[in-house]
mmCIF file with all atom_site columns, all heavy atoms in Angstrom:
data_model
loop_
_atom_site.group_PDB
_atom_site.id
_atom_site.type_symbol
_atom_site.label_atom_id
_atom_site.label_alt_id
_atom_site.label_comp_id
_atom_site.label_asym_id
_atom_site.label_entity_id
_atom_site.label_seq_id
_atom_site.pdbx_PDB_ins_code
_atom_site.Cartn_x
_atom_site.Cartn_y
_atom_site.Cartn_z
_atom_site.occupancy
_atom_site.B_iso_or_equiv
_atom_site.pdbx_formal_charge
_atom_site.auth_seq_id
_atom_site.auth_comp_id
_atom_site.auth_asym_id
_atom_site.auth_atom_id
_atom_site.pdbx_PDB_model_num
ATOM 1   N N   . THR A 1 122 ? 5.747  29.178 -0.701  1.00 95.00 ? 1600 THR A N   1
ATOM 2   C CA  . THR A 1 122 ? 6.236  27.855 -0.313  1.00 95.00 ? 1600 THR A CA  1
ATOM 3   C C   . THR A 1 122 ? 5.207  26.810 -0.690  1.00 95.00 ? 1600 THR A C   1
ATOM 4   O O   . THR A 1 122 ? 4.047  26.895 -0.289  1.00 95.00 ? 1600 THR A O   1
ATOM 5   C CB  . THR A 1 122 ? 6.518  27.786 1.195   1.00 95.00 ? 1600 THR A CB  1
ATOM 6   O OG1 . THR A 1 122 ? 7.495  28.763 1.543   1.00 95.00 ? 1600 THR A OG1 1
ATOM 7   C CG2 . THR A 1 122 ? 7.023  26.402 1.590   1.00 95.00 ? 1600 THR A CG2 1
ATOM 8   N N   . LEU A 1 123 ? 5.640  25.830 -1.465  1.00 95.00 ? 1601 LEU A N   1
ATOM 9   C CA  . LEU A 1 123 ? 4.765  24.735 -1.878  1.00 95.00 ? 1601 LEU A CA  1
ATOM 10  C C   . LEU A 1 123 ? 4.984  23.545 -0.953  1.00 95.00 ? 1601 LEU A C   1
ATOM 11  O O   . LEU A 1 123 ? 6.110  23.080 -0.776  1.00 95.00 ? 1601 LEU A O   1
ATOM 12  C CB  . LEU A 1 123 ? 5.076  24.325 -3.323  1.00 95.00 ? 1601 LEU A CB  1
ATOM 13  C CG  . LEU A 1 123 ? 4.300  23.119 -3.862  1.00 95.00 ? 1601 LEU A CG  1
ATOM 14  C CD1 . LEU A 1 123 ? 2.820  23.450 -4.037  1.00 95.00 ? 1601 LEU A CD1 1
ATOM 15  C CD2 . LEU A 1 123 ? 4.902  22.638 -5.180  1.00 95.00 ? 1601 LEU A CD2 1
ATOM 16  N N   . SER A 1 124 ? 3.903  23.067 -0.351  1.00 95.00 ? 1602 SER A N   1
ATOM 17  C CA  . SER A 1 124 ? 3.964  21.852 0.465   1.00 95.00 ? 1602 SER A CA  1
ATOM 18  C C   . SER A 1 124 ? 3.171  20.762 -0.243  1.00 95.00 ? 1602 SER A C   1
ATOM 19  O O   . SER A 1 124 ? 2.141  21.036 -0.857  1.00 95.00 ? 1602 SER A O   1
ATOM 20  C CB  . SER A 1 124 ? 3.402  22.103 1.863   1.00 95.00 ? 1602 SER A CB  1
ATOM 21  O OG  . SER A 1 124 ? 2.061  22.561 1.798   1.00 95.00 ? 1602 SER A OG  1
ATOM 22  N N   . MET A 1 125 ? 3.658  19.518 -0.159  1.00 94.00 ? 1603 MET A N   1
ATOM 23  C CA  . MET A 1 125 ? 3.026  18.417 -0.887  1.00 94.00 ? 1603 MET A CA  1
ATOM 24  C C   . MET A 1 125 ? 3.085  17.122 -0.106  1.00 94.00 ? 1603 MET A C   1
ATOM 25  O O   . MET A 1 125 ? 4.055  16.854 0.603   1.00 94.00 ? 1603 MET A O   1
ATOM 26  C CB  . MET A 1 125 ? 3.724  18.184 -2.240  1.00 94.00 ? 1603 MET A CB  1
ATOM 27  C CG  . MET A 1 125 ? 3.626  19.295 -3.239  1.00 94.00 ? 1603 MET A CG  1
ATOM 28  S SD  . MET A 1 125 ? 4.439  18.828 -4.803  1.00 94.00 ? 1603 MET A SD  1
ATOM 29  C CE  . MET A 1 125 ? 6.171  18.862 -4.299  1.00 94.00 ? 1603 MET A CE  1
ATOM 30  N N   . THR A 1 126 ? 2.044  16.325 -0.276  1.00 93.00 ? 1604 THR A N   1
ATOM 31  C CA  . THR A 1 126 ? 2.092  14.905 0.031   1.00 93.00 ? 1604 THR A CA  1
ATOM 32  C C   . THR A 1 126 ? 2.159  14.183 -1.304  1.00 93.00 ? 1604 THR A C   1
ATOM 33  O O   . THR A 1 126 ? 1.390  14.490 -2.218  1.00 93.00 ? 1604 THR A O   1
ATOM 34  C CB  . THR A 1 126 ? 0.841  14.447 0.801   1.00 93.00 ? 1604 THR A CB  1
ATOM 35  O OG1 . THR A 1 126 ? 0.764  15.164 2.030   1.00 93.00 ? 1604 THR A OG1 1
ATOM 36  C CG2 . THR A 1 126 ? 0.897  12.950 1.086   1.00 93.00 ? 1604 THR A CG2 1
ATOM 37  N N   . VAL A 1 127 ? 3.090  13.253 -1.437  1.00 94.00 ? 1605 VAL A N   1
ATOM 38  C CA  . VAL A 1 127 ? 3.292  12.579 -2.717  1.00 94.00 ? 1605 VAL A CA  1
ATOM 39  C C   . VAL A 1 127 ? 3.317  11.066 -2.513  1.00 94.00 ? 1605 VAL A C   1
ATOM 40  O O   . VAL A 1 127 ? 3.514  10.568 -1.406  1.00 94.00 ? 1605 VAL A O   1
ATOM 41  C CB  . VAL A 1 127 ? 4.595  13.035 -3.401  1.00 94.00 ? 1605 VAL A CB  1
ATOM 42  C CG1 . VAL A 1 127 ? 4.572  14.531 -3.673  1.00 94.00 ? 1605 VAL A CG1 1
ATOM 43  C CG2 . VAL A 1 127 ? 5.811  12.657 -2.564  1.00 94.00 ? 1605 VAL A CG2 1
ATOM 44  N N   . ALA A 1 128 ? 3.124  10.341 -3.605  1.00 94.00 ? 1606 ALA A N   1
ATOM 45  C CA  . ALA A 1 128 ? 3.303  8.889  -3.625  1.00 94.00 ? 1606 ALA A CA  1
ATOM 46  C C   . ALA A 1 128 ? 4.637  8.587  -4.285  1.00 94.00 ? 1606 ALA A C   1
ATOM 47  O O   . ALA A 1 128 ? 4.930  9.102  -5.367  1.00 94.00 ? 1606 ALA A O   1
ATOM 48  C CB  . ALA A 1 128 ? 2.167  8.219  -4.378  1.00 94.00 ? 1606 ALA A CB  1
ATOM 49  N N   . PHE A 1 129 ? 5.441  7.756  -3.622  1.00 96.00 ? 1607 PHE A N   1
ATOM 50  C CA  . PHE A 1 129 ? 6.747  7.367  -4.134  1.00 96.00 ? 1607 PHE A CA  1
ATOM 51  C C   . PHE A 1 129 ? 6.691  5.966  -4.744  1.00 96.00 ? 1607 PHE A C   1
ATOM 52  O O   . PHE A 1 129 ? 5.750  5.204  -4.527  1.00 96.00 ? 1607 PHE A O   1
ATOM 53  C CB  . PHE A 1 129 ? 7.785  7.348  -3.005  1.00 96.00 ? 1607 PHE A CB  1
ATOM 54  C CG  . PHE A 1 129 ? 8.024  8.669  -2.346  1.00 96.00 ? 1607 PHE A CG  1
ATOM 55  C CD1 . PHE A 1 129 ? 7.551  8.903  -1.060  1.00 96.00 ? 1607 PHE A CD1 1
ATOM 56  C CD2 . PHE A 1 129 ? 8.722  9.667  -2.986  1.00 96.00 ? 1607 PHE A CD2 1
ATOM 57  C CE1 . PHE A 1 129 ? 7.778  10.119 -0.427  1.00 96.00 ? 1607 PHE A CE1 1
ATOM 58  C CE2 . PHE A 1 129 ? 8.954  10.895 -2.366  1.00 96.00 ? 1607 PHE A CE2 1
ATOM 59  C CZ  . PHE A 1 129 ? 8.481  11.114 -1.082  1.00 96.00 ? 1607 PHE A CZ  1
ATOM 60  N N   . LYS A 1 130 ? 7.734  5.642  -5.492  1.00 97.00 ? 1608 LYS A N   1
ATOM 61  C CA  . LYS A 1 130 ? 7.969  4.282  -5.953  1.00 97.00 ? 1608 LYS A CA  1
ATOM 62  C C   . LYS A 1 130 ? 9.478  4.101  -6.070  1.00 97.00 ? 1608 LYS A C   1
ATOM 63  O O   . LYS A 1 130 ? 10.223 5.091  -6.164  1.00 97.00 ? 1608 LYS A O   1
ATOM 64  C CB  . LYS A 1 130 ? 7.295  4.028  -7.303  1.00 97.00 ? 1608 LYS A CB  1
ATOM 65  C CG  . LYS A 1 130 ? 7.810  4.915  -8.437  1.00 97.00 ? 1608 LYS A CG  1
ATOM 66  C CD  . LYS A 1 130 ? 7.037  4.651  -9.725  1.00 97.00 ? 1608 LYS A CD  1
ATOM 67  C CE  . LYS A 1 130 ? 7.509  5.578  -10.853 1.00 97.00 ? 1608 LYS A CE  1
ATOM 68  N NZ  . LYS A 1 130 ? 6.735  5.362  -12.095 1.00 97.00 ? 1608 LYS A NZ  1
ATOM 69  N N   . PRO A 1 131 ? 9.975  2.853  -6.056  1.00 97.00 ? 1609 PRO A N   1
ATOM 70  C CA  . PRO A 1 131 ? 11.413 2.653  -6.234  1.00 97.00 ? 1609 PRO A CA  1
ATOM 71  C C   . PRO A 1 131 ? 11.874 3.180  -7.596  1.00 97.00 ? 1609 PRO A C   1
ATOM 72  O O   . PRO A 1 131 ? 11.131 3.130  -8.572  1.00 97.00 ? 1609 PRO A O   1
ATOM 73  C CB  . PRO A 1 131 ? 11.577 1.138  -6.146  1.00 97.00 ? 1609 PRO A CB  1
ATOM 74  C CG  . PRO A 1 131 ? 10.381 0.664  -5.390  1.00 97.00 ? 1609 PRO A CG  1
ATOM 75  C CD  . PRO A 1 131 ? 9.268  1.586  -5.795  1.00 97.00 ? 1609 PRO A CD  1
ATOM 76  N N   . SER A 1 132 ? 13.096 3.673  -7.641  1.00 96.00 ? 1610 SER A N   1
ATOM 77  C CA  . SER A 1 132 ? 13.651 4.118  -8.914  1.00 96.00 ? 1610 SER A CA  1
ATOM 78  C C   . SER A 1 132 ? 14.028 2.908  -9.761  1.00 96.00 ? 1610 SER A C   1
ATOM 79  O O   . SER A 1 132 ? 14.136 1.785  -9.251  1.00 96.00 ? 1610 SER A O   1
ATOM 80  C CB  . SER A 1 132 ? 14.893 4.978  -8.666  1.00 96.00 ? 1610 SER A CB  1
ATOM 81  O OG  . SER A 1 132 ? 15.990 4.155  -8.309  1.00 96.00 ? 1610 SER A OG  1
ATOM 82  N N   . PRO A 1 133 ? 14.248 3.093  -11.067 1.00 96.00 ? 1611 PRO A N   1
ATOM 83  C CA  . PRO A 1 133 ? 14.623 1.963  -11.928 1.00 96.00 ? 1611 PRO A CA  1
ATOM 84  C C   . PRO A 1 133 ? 15.957 1.312  -11.579 1.00 96.00 ? 1611 PRO A C   1
ATOM 85  O O   . PRO A 1 133 ? 16.255 0.229  -12.065 1.00 96.00 ? 1611 PRO A O   1
ATOM 86  C CB  . PRO A 1 133 ? 14.678 2.597  -13.331 1.00 96.00 ? 1611 PRO A CB  1
ATOM 87  C CG  . PRO A 1 133 ? 13.801 3.804  -13.236 1.00 96.00 ? 1611 PRO A CG  1
ATOM 88  C CD  . PRO A 1 133 ? 13.983 4.313  -11.846 1.00 96.00 ? 1611 PRO A CD  1
ATOM 89  N N   . VAL A 1 134 ? 16.761 1.971  -10.735 1.00 96.00 ? 1612 VAL A N   1
ATOM 90  C CA  . VAL A 1 134 ? 18.054 1.399  -10.334 1.00 96.00 ? 1612 VAL A CA  1
ATOM 91  C C   . VAL A 1 134 ? 18.126 1.220  -8.816  1.00 96.00 ? 1612 VAL A C   1
ATOM 92  O O   . VAL A 1 134 ? 19.215 1.082  -8.257  1.00 96.00 ? 1612 VAL A O   1
ATOM 93  C CB  . VAL A 1 134 ? 19.224 2.277  -10.825 1.00 96.00 ? 1612 VAL A CB  1
ATOM 94  C CG1 . VAL A 1 134 ? 19.287 2.281  -12.338 1.00 96.00 ? 1612 VAL A CG1 1
ATOM 95  C CG2 . VAL A 1 134 ? 19.105 3.703  -10.282 1.00 96.00 ? 1612 VAL A CG2 1
ATOM 96  N N   . SER A 1 135 ? 16.984 1.206  -8.164  1.00 97.00 ? 1613 SER A N   1
ATOM 97  C CA  . SER A 1 135 ? 16.974 1.109  -6.703  1.00 97.00 ? 1613 SER A CA  1
ATOM 98  C C   . SER A 1 135 ? 17.555 -0.219 -6.238  1.00 97.00 ? 1613 SER A C   1
ATOM 99  O O   . SER A 1 135 ? 17.435 -1.253 -6.898  1.00 97.00 ? 1613 SER A O   1
ATOM 100 C CB  . SER A 1 135 ? 15.555 1.270  -6.169  1.00 97.00 ? 1613 SER A CB  1
ATOM 101 O OG  . SER A 1 135 ? 14.721 0.251  -6.683  1.00 97.00 ? 1613 SER A OG  1
ATOM 102 N N   . THR A 1 136 ? 18.168 -0.200 -5.076  1.00 97.00 ? 1614 THR A N   1
ATOM 103 C CA  . THR A 1 136 ? 18.765 -1.407 -4.487  1.00 97.00 ? 1614 THR A CA  1
ATOM 104 C C   . THR A 1 136 ? 17.878 -2.032 -3.423  1.00 97.00 ? 1614 THR A C   1
ATOM 105 O O   . THR A 1 136 ? 18.232 -3.067 -2.853  1.00 97.00 ? 1614 THR A O   1
ATOM 106 C CB  . THR A 1 136 ? 20.130 -1.077 -3.873  1.00 97.00 ? 1614 THR A CB  1
ATOM 107 O OG1 . THR A 1 136 ? 19.968 -0.041 -2.879  1.00 97.00 ? 1614 THR A OG1 1
ATOM 108 C CG2 . THR A 1 136 ? 21.097 -0.593 -4.943  1.00 97.00 ? 1614 THR A CG2 1
ATOM 109 N N   . GLY A 1 137 ? 16.743 -1.421 -3.144  1.00 97.00 ? 1615 GLY A N   1
ATOM 110 C CA  . GLY A 1 137 ? 15.840 -1.950 -2.139  1.00 97.00 ? 1615 GLY A CA  1
ATOM 111 C C   . GLY A 1 137 ? 14.670 -1.015 -1.918  1.00 97.00 ? 1615 GLY A C   1
ATOM 112 O O   . GLY A 1 137 ? 14.374 -0.148 -2.746  1.00 97.00 ? 1615 GLY A O   1
ATOM 113 N N   . ILE A 1 138 ? 13.994 -1.179 -0.766  1.00 96.00 ? 1616 ILE A N   1
ATOM 114 C CA  . ILE A 1 138 ? 12.796 -0.399 -0.466  1.00 96.00 ? 1616 ILE A CA  1
ATOM 115 C C   . ILE A 1 138 ? 12.794 -0.084 1.026   1.00 96.00 ? 1616 ILE A C   1
ATOM 116 O O   . ILE A 1 138 ? 13.431 -0.786 1.822   1.00 96.00 ? 1616 ILE A O   1
ATOM 117 C CB  . ILE A 1 138 ? 11.528 -1.179 -0.890  1.00 96.00 ? 1616 ILE A CB  1
ATOM 118 C CG1 . ILE A 1 138 ? 10.305 -0.255 -0.980  1.00 96.00 ? 1616 ILE A CG1 1
ATOM 119 C CG2 . ILE A 1 138 ? 11.265 -2.364 0.033   1.00 96.00 ? 1616 ILE A CG2 1
ATOM 120 C CD1 . ILE A 1 138 ? 9.129  -0.889 -1.698  1.00 96.00 ? 1616 ILE A CD1 1
ATOM 121 N N   . VAL A 1 139 ? 12.072 0.952  1.419   1.00 95.00 ? 1617 VAL A N   1
ATOM 122 C CA  . VAL A 1 139 ? 12.060 1.382  2.819   1.00 95.00 ? 1617 VAL A CA  1
ATOM 123 C C   . VAL A 1 139 ? 11.461 0.302  3.716   1.00 95.00 ? 1617 VAL A C   1
ATOM 124 O O   . VAL A 1 139 ? 10.639 -0.516 3.279   1.00 95.00 ? 1617 VAL A O   1
ATOM 125 C CB  . VAL A 1 139 ? 11.294 2.703  2.987   1.00 95.00 ? 1617 VAL A CB  1
ATOM 126 C CG1 . VAL A 1 139 ? 12.018 3.844  2.292   1.00 95.00 ? 1617 VAL A CG1 1
ATOM 127 C CG2 . VAL A 1 139 ? 9.869  2.582  2.471   1.00 95.00 ? 1617 VAL A CG2 1
ATOM 128 N N   . ASP A 1 140 ? 11.852 0.322  4.976   1.00 95.00 ? 1618 ASP A N   1
ATOM 129 C CA  . ASP A 1 140 ? 11.438 -0.721 5.916   1.00 95.00 ? 1618 ASP A CA  1
ATOM 130 C C   . ASP A 1 140 ? 9.925  -0.847 6.024   1.00 95.00 ? 1618 ASP A C   1
ATOM 131 O O   . ASP A 1 140 ? 9.390  -1.960 6.104   1.00 95.00 ? 1618 ASP A O   1
ATOM 132 C CB  . ASP A 1 140 ? 12.015 -0.439 7.307   1.00 95.00 ? 1618 ASP A CB  1
ATOM 133 C CG  . ASP A 1 140 ? 13.519 -0.649 7.375   1.00 95.00 ? 1618 ASP A CG  1
ATOM 134 O OD1 . ASP A 1 140 ? 14.143 -0.838 6.310   1.00 95.00 ? 1618 ASP A OD1 1
ATOM 135 O OD2 . ASP A 1 140 ? 14.072 -0.617 8.481   1.00 95.00 ? 1618 ASP A OD2 1
ATOM 136 N N   . GLY A 1 141 ? 9.233  0.290  6.062   1.00 93.00 ? 1619 GLY A N   1
ATOM 137 C CA  . GLY A 1 141 ? 7.783  0.247  6.233   1.00 93.00 ? 1619 GLY A CA  1
ATOM 138 C C   . GLY A 1 141 ? 7.083  -0.510 5.122   1.00 93.00 ? 1619 GLY A C   1
ATOM 139 O O   . GLY A 1 141 ? 6.175  -1.319 5.372   1.00 93.00 ? 1619 GLY A O   1
ATOM 140 N N   . GLN A 1 142 ? 7.488  -0.253 3.891   1.00 94.00 ? 1620 GLN A N   1
ATOM 141 C CA  . GLN A 1 142 ? 6.876  -0.954 2.756   1.00 94.00 ? 1620 GLN A CA  1
ATOM 142 C C   . GLN A 1 142 ? 7.253  -2.438 2.760   1.00 94.00 ? 1620 GLN A C   1
ATOM 143 O O   . GLN A 1 142 ? 6.438  -3.297 2.435   1.00 94.00 ? 1620 GLN A O   1
ATOM 144 C CB  . GLN A 1 142 ? 7.316  -0.300 1.441   1.00 94.00 ? 1620 GLN A CB  1
ATOM 145 C CG  . GLN A 1 142 ? 6.906  1.153  1.310   1.00 94.00 ? 1620 GLN A CG  1
ATOM 146 C CD  . GLN A 1 142 ? 5.406  1.354  1.467   1.00 94.00 ? 1620 GLN A CD  1
ATOM 147 O OE1 . GLN A 1 142 ? 4.622  0.746  0.751   1.00 94.00 ? 1620 GLN A OE1 1
ATOM 148 N NE2 . GLN A 1 142 ? 5.019  2.190  2.406   1.00 94.00 ? 1620 GLN A NE2 1
#
Side-chain angles (χ1 to χ4, degrees):
T1600 301
L1601 176 69
S1602 58
M1603 295 182 289
T1604 299
V1605 300
F1607 298 108
K1608 62 183 178 182
S1610 76
V1612 295
S1613 61
T1614 58
I1616 197 166
V1617 294
D1618 289 9
Q1620 299 304 304

